[in-house]
Amino acid sequence: MEKDQDQILSDVTTGEYKYGFYSDIEMDRIPKGLSEDVVRMISAKKNEPEWLLEFRLKSYRHWLTMKMPAWPNLKIPKINYQEIIFYAAPKERKKINNVEDIDPELKKTFDKLGIPLQEQKHLAGVAVDAVIDSVSIKTTFKETLAEMGIIFCSFSDAVKEYPDLVKRYMGSVVPYTDNFFATLNSAVFSDGSFCYIPKGVRCPMELSTYFRINSANTGQFERTLLIADEESYVSYLEGCTAPSRDENQLHAAIVEIVAEKNAEVKYSTVQNWYPGDKEGKGGVFNFVTKRGMCKGENSKISWTQIETGSAITWKYPSCILRGDNSTGEFYSVAVTNNHQQADTGTKMTHIGKNTKSTIVSKGISAGHGQNSYRGLVKVLKNATNARNYSQCDSLLLGDKCGAHTFPYLEVDNQTAIVEHEATTSKIGEDQIFYCNQRGISTEDAIGLIVNGYAREVINKLPMEFAVEAQKLLQISLEGSVG
Amino acid sequence: MLIINNLKASIGGKSILKGISLHVKPGEIHAIMGPNGSGKSTLAAVLAGREFVEITEGTVTYLGKNLLDMTPEDRAKEGIFLGFQYPIEIPGVSMVNFMKTAVNEHRKHKGLDPLSASDFLKLMRDKKELVEIDSKLANRSVNEGFSGGEKKKNEIFQMAMLEPRLAILDETDSGLDIDALRIVANGVNKLKRPDNSFIVITHYQRLLDYIVPDVVHVLYDGRIVKTAGKELALELEEKGYDWIKKEIENNVTA
Ligand SMILES: Nc1ncnc2c1ncn2[C@@H]1O[C@H](COP(=O)(O)OP(=O)(O)OP(=O)(O)O)[C@@H](O)[C@H]1O
Ligand SMILES: [Mg+2]
């Protein structure tokens, strides 16, 4: 099994941006543009209940009153929302029950990406939900998981089959009024993954969602809702890729996590959306709201992210530490090469007593890349004995790139202990030459050094994906020195 | 093995090497001595392929090939090893990972399969014993926080791992205590074979008590001004470089 994985991982990782291909799949698209009618149309396409349509409309109307925020350290070209197609889905031939029913083109697409839609040998320890453009195509291992009471399905299916759970939790962590892109998502979201781990259950396999943007001029607006009931555990991973295109594509997603008493959630992201070409043309705008609520005592939410793709990344996976003794973690590696920009970090809000948070952020900038860490540690009045440790490191390759850190602190409780460390380093020519002299090529030397630098974060990823992440890091920096 | 012919090189427009010729045969140990700033490390840098040294004249032939045409990593894989005067720290990269990559690159170059994890660790263990370096050092990041002497021993350890054809040791003896000096010298002597050669750059005769050179050169102001047997080192130790400087000046004025 190990071999199979290595094979897949190595297939996935040679050359430049390897996922830039486009699949010719018959699609059902709505006309471009955004209006109340479009919101209704999306809801109708999905046969949604009235309450969900109301949620969308309420969000849309609120969005009309909002302005895109200007505070990130990013240069964002103006986005024309009337030019975007807000819903695109592969045409369904009939209800998909097994792999044979899936459009062969679609199957090929996921095969190329190394993502198994079959419940078979490779990646046997991983259940996959595959989302292309706007809809979830297939969720594997559904039945196996169901035996333990675990629900893992597309968001759309959850709306139909578990409306009470969805109603209760959707918007409870990221309210529809939260921010410009979260509100937009709440109005037009198309699909995503839904996961519920019942009380006392340790999910026996990795759950993962693969997101793929395929169609041109479409935005991707998915929503993930993950609920870990008391004493449960789950490790979840998302991966993302998109075709290479000259125009920018918008991705505005929401991830909400709820961890009840004694529950633990590990959420890992390997983000590899198309980053644009060497001159900065094209690429995905990755504007995502991710937030977890440690609702119960002793609950724990841990975010790990490897961000190598996207033209612009703007995201702050955050934790609200409401339960006493709850823990929030954020481990991040963000790479910006060529003309990529990233403004990323986290927000840890300490509400309960004895709450702990750890932040480890590793930025890597190369080419003309600009990398900003932005983090807020907030300790509220009643959060006695709150602890935070933050470490922000920046690594620079070359002298045209930039690294910036914006740590914010709001502490309203005297007993809090908050620590912050920051370093900036450069890969020196001396270090590369030293490697060369031992027979190691410059590219491999950078790979070694970068992976060494990012090891603390990579080690937090599930084993199966750590290898993939390492190779991704190296590839995304290819050609960045010399 | 190595033929250097009338090599001239400069750094940032300043001429440093002013016509060096040197012939190293298989199995030989050459010592290079000479005052600070005379160009010893620059010569080593040229042989290893550092780009900031510009070669303005001359040729270097290594095992019949034009060395100056080869990339630094190809030189390494063809058997040239440089023990750095100032070894570089690479934080975050473990010695194990670093050496595994290096050893496997060498093997790939020779058309061999990579070593298995267990074979590699065994090799590491054997070589660590050979050069008597502390096991703990091998588990740390490359040279990070190593003491001066530990860094030098680590160079010898790497040399032992890579088994070069031509090892250039740039003041590997500097900063070593007496025991470490013996260990470093033993490391060299154990690697010595009829088909490989050493260029040992040093300031001190005492290293040459342990590593007996076939030839001793004196490099002065970018030129090799004297070449003799191992007794030259003793003479230098005793008299310093002044008499050589005088000899040269006399030659120039004569
Ligand atoms: N990177 C550099 N930039 C500018 N000058 C340099 C550089 N490297 C070496 N030099 C100069 O070249 C000359 C020779 O230096 P080199 O390091 O080769 O001497 P050395 O013989 O090894 O001396 P030491 O015994 O002190 O190690 C010196 O004058 C030095 O200042
Ligand atoms: Mg020197």
Side-chain angles (χ1 to χ4, degrees):
Chain A
M1 184 179 125
E2 189 129 72
K3 252 240 166 85
D4 282 332
Q5 285 182 5
D6 285 352
Q7 191 53 47
I8 294 161
L9 295 176
S10 78
D11 286 350
V12 171
T13 47
T14 28
E16 296 206 338
Y17 190 76
K18 223 195 112 165
Y19 314 100
F21 62 88
Y22 165 76
S23 320
D24 195 8
I25 301 162
E26 248 192 288
M27 297 295 280
D28 176 12
R29 295 186 185 83
I30 63 169
K32 65 185 183 182
L34 183 55
S35 65
E36 205 163 298
D37 282 347
V38 166
V39 174
R40 286 178 194 280
M41 207 177 330
I42 293 170
S43 190
K45 285 261 177 213
K46 305 179 74 69
N47 278 323
E48 282 175 356
E50 192 60 26
W51 61 267
L52 195 49
L53 175 62
E54 280 311 313
F55 177 84
R56 289 177 181 278
L57 289 172
K58 182 167 77 177
S59 306
Y60 176 67
R61 287 170 197 142
H62 185 74
W63 185 73
L64 291 175
T65 68
M66 300 172 95
K67 274 209 170 64
M68 187 153 138
W71 50 261
N73 187 27
L74 300 168
K75 288 198 189 83
I76 306 172
K78 198 169 156 45
I79 298 167
N80 184 349
Y81 293 92
Q82 300 312 330
E83 287 299 319
I84 295 173
I85 297 169
F86 283 84
Y87 181 86
K91 265 198 186 133
E92 249 181 283
R93 304 181 164 185
K94 55 181 171 183
K95 182 124 182 62
I96 294 170
N97 285 317
N98 50 51
V99 185
E100 285 72 50
D101 297 337
I102 298 174
D103 181 337
E105 265 303 311
L106 201 56
K107 213 182 139 290
K108 251 196 267 168
T109 303
F110 282 94
D111 283 348
K112 267 200 211 171
L113 296 171
I115 298 159
L117 295 181
Q118 266 144 311
E119 295 170 15
Q120 55 183 9
K121 312 159 288 296
H122 47 240
L123 292 175
V126 183
V128 176
D129 185 22
V131 176
I132 190 158
D133 290 337
S134 300
V135 297
S136 167
I137 296 310
K138 162 111 178 112
T139 311
T140 62
F141 291 103
K142 230 168 153 166
E143 288 76 25
T144 319
L145 293 167
E147 281 165 24
M148 305 181 74
I150 296 170
I151 304 169
F152 181 44
C153 63
S154 71
F155 201 91
S156 308
D157 287 350
V159 169
K160 294 194 183 81
E161 290 165 43
Y162 313 97
D164 293 342
L165 279 175
V166 176
K167 249 194 213 163
R168 188 158 133 219
Y169 288 104
M170 184 180 73
S172 70
V173 186
V174 181
Y176 76 92
T177 50
D178 195 80
N179 70 72
F180 188 81
F181 290 108
T183 304
L184 176 63
N185 175 292
S186 300
V188 302
F189 72 89
S190 30
D191 210 339
S193 298
F194 176 85
C195 171
Y196 172 80
I197 317 288
K199 212 165 161 171
V201 171
R202 250 191 102 79
C203 185
M205 55 177 90
E206 299 285 337
L207 301 186
S208 77
T209 305
Y210 272 90
F211 295 104
R212 171 82 180 161
I213 298 179
N214 189 52
S215 301
N217 304 318
T218 46
Q220 178 145 330
F221 306 93
E222 80 275 354
R223 236 188 136 94
T224 299
L225 179 55
L226 210 160
I227 302 146
D229 215 328
E230 293 179 17
E231 329 270 336
S232 70
Y233 169 84
V234 64
S235 168
Y236 193 93
L237 181 122
E238 59 171 6
C240 355
T241 57
S244 312
R245 291 184 197 288
D246 285 348
E247 73 274 15
N248 297 111
Q249 279 183 290
L250 177 63
H251 170 247
I254 289 182
V255 176
E256 289 181 283
I257 301 176
V258 178
E260 300 283 2
K261 189 171 157 189
N262 292 325
E264 180 178 348
V265 178
K266 265 185 76 153
Y267 195 101
S268 313
T269 303
V270 176
Q271 185 266 105
N272 188 25
W273 296 117
Y274 178 56
D277 69 9
K278 293 208 158 47
E279 273 68 54
K281 198 162 186 209
V284 171
F285 292 163
N286 188 34
F287 302 154
V288 174
T289 306
K290 291 183 170 175
R291 198 173 302 149
M293 167 90 78
C294 286
K295 204 167 166 189
E297 278 167 48
N298 290 315
S299 55
K300 178 173 175 182
I301 294 176
S302 180
W303 298 101
T304 303
Q305 58 172 22
I306 309 291
E307 302 278 320
T308 57
S310 298
I312 305 180
T313 294
W314 175 3
K315 64 181 258 201
Y316 315 91
S318 303
C319 299
I320 300 171
L321 304 171
R322 206 163 82 186
D324 290 346
N325 305 312
S326 61
T327 306
E329 294 177 339
F330 173 74
Y331 296 96
S332 168
V333 173
V335 177
T336 52
N337 193 7
N338 298 319
H339 290 266
Q340 284 176 277
Q341 309 174 59
D343 193 308
T344 182
T346 184
K347 201 153 72 174
M348 295 289 178
T349 309
H350 293 252
I351 301 174
K353 295 180 178 46
N354 305 314
T355 46
K356 275 198 310 222
S357 63
T358 305
I359 299 172
V360 176
S361 161
K362 306 254 178 190
I364 301 168
S365 320
H368 296 264
Q370 291 295 328
N371 212 319
S372 300
Y373 167 80
R374 188 182 302 276
L376 169 64
V377 176
K378 191 169 180 168
V379 179
L380 299 193
K381 239 207 305 274
N382 294 327
T384 337
N385 292 324
R387 296 275 178 282
N388 164 264
Y389 172 73
S390 304
Q391 183 192 329
C392 301
D393 298 329
S394 309
L395 184 67
L396 301 171
L397 284 81
D399 47 16
K400 292 185 185 67
C401 52
H404 319 269
T405 47
F406 304 97
Y408 304 95
L409 257 183
E410 292 172 20
V411 178
D412 285 331
N413 185 304
Q414 296 287 329
T415 60
I417 297 178
V418 176
E419 283 176 87
H420 180 89
E421 283 176 30
T423 65
T424 301
S425 47
K426 263 190 152 177
I427 294 190
E429 258 176 64
D430 282 355
Q431 291 174 325
I432 291 183
F433 182 74
Y434 193 76
C435 294
N436 290 160
Q437 213 302 303
R438 300 306 185 238
I440 301 167
S441 70
T442 300
E443 304 272 278
D444 288 347
I446 291 171
L448 265 180
I449 296 170
V450 164
N451 278 309
Y453 167 80
R455 193 174 45 192
E456 203 180 336
V457 174
I458 289 175
N459 283 349
K460 297 284 171 188
L461 285 177
M463 262 275 275
E464 299 88 322
F465 301 99
V467 187
E468 182 177 15
Q470 277 191 20
K471 292 194 177 152
L472 246 182
L473 278 184
Q474 184 160 348
I475 286 163
S476 60
L477 289 167
E478 246 166 43
S480 60
V481 162
Chain B
M1 164 138 338
L2 181 75
I3 302 164
I4 304 175
N5 190 20
N6 191 31
L7 180 70
K8 295 187 183 173
S10 57
I11 299 175
K14 184 181 159 213
S15 149
I16 309 283
L17 300 181
K18 300 172 182 171
I20 289 189
S21 297
L22 190 68
H23 188 174
V24 180
K25 299 198 187 83
E28 285 185 344
I29 298 181
H30 286 233
I32 298 183
M33 304 182 81
N36 294 131
S38 56
K40 304 182 295 297
S41 294
T42 306
L43 176 61
V46 168
L47 296 179
R50 271 227 92 147
E51 268 176 22
F52 67 77
V53 188
E54 302 146 53
I55 289 133
T56 51
E57 222 182 298
T59 57
V60 181
T61 311
Y62 170 69
L63 297 175
K65 285 187 218 149
N66 178 0
L67 184 74
L68 302 179
D69 271 356
M70 294 160 74
T71 62
E73 58 269 32
D74 281 342
R75 298 179 197 203
K77 286 183 280 191
E78 285 287 320
I80 289 187
F81 178 89
L82 172 61
F84 285 66
Q85 184 174 359
Y86 305 108
I88 307 297
E89 300 193 2
I90 312 180
V93 178
S94 69
M95 271 306 293
V96 174
N97 221 344
F98 180 69
M99 279 328 291
K100 196 159 79 188
T101 311
V103 166
N104 284 334
E105 284 300 313
H106 277 72
R107 291 180 65 88
K108 194 158 90 192
H109 189 70
K110 291 185 190 125
L112 299 170
D113 284 336
L115 280 182
S116 71
S118 64
D119 285 347
F120 175 77
L121 289 173
K122 187 179 176 310
L123 180 68
M124 273 280 288
R125 228 178 5 251
D126 292 350
K127 301 297 181 180
K128 266 191 302 203
E129 268 166 38
L130 184 76
V131 298
E132 300 177 40
I133 78 162
D134 195 329
S135 279
K136 282 189 223 101
L137 291 182
N139 294 325
R140 289 183 19 201
S141 293
V142 179
N143 291 323
E144 193 187 23
F146 286 27
S147 76
E150 286 168 346
K151 283 181 183 166
K152 295 299 175 76
K153 274 205 259 179
N154 193 22
E155 294 293 288
I156 298 298
F157 167 65
Q158 292 175 47
M159 178 178 81
M161 290 290 290
L162 297 173
E163 301 191 325
R165 301 284 294 272
L166 173 65
I168 304 155
L169 303 179
D170 192 354
E171 297 198 26
T172 305
D173 55 330
S174 299
L176 292 180
D177 61 38
I178 293 294
D179 286 341
L181 185 70
R182 189 180 40 74
I183 290 164
V184 164
N186 279 345
V188 171
N189 288 328
K190 279 184 192 143
L191 282 174
K192 205 182 152 196
R193 283 201 312 259
D195 61 343
N196 58 20
S197 314
F198 292 85
I199 296 176
V200 180
I201 299 172
T202 181
H203 285 294
Y204 306 105
Q205 144 68 22
R206 56 171 197 179
L207 177 70
L208 304 180
D209 283 342
Y210 298 100
I211 304 174
V212 182
D214 298 291
V215 192
V216 177
H217 308 275
V218 177
L219 191 64
Y220 175 69
D221 190 24
R223 291 185 184 88
I224 290 179
V225 295
K226 208 160 186 74
T227 296
K230 62 174 189 283
E231 63 292 341
L232 178 58
L234 278 171
E235 199 173 347
L236 289 170
E237 180 98 340
E238 207 177 296
K239 300 204 253 172
Y241 292 110
D242 276 357
W243 62 279
I244 292 189
K245 289 183 194 168
K246 282 211 184 86
E247 249 183 49
I248 295 160
E249 276 156 24
N250 289 342
N251 281 347
V252 172
T253 45

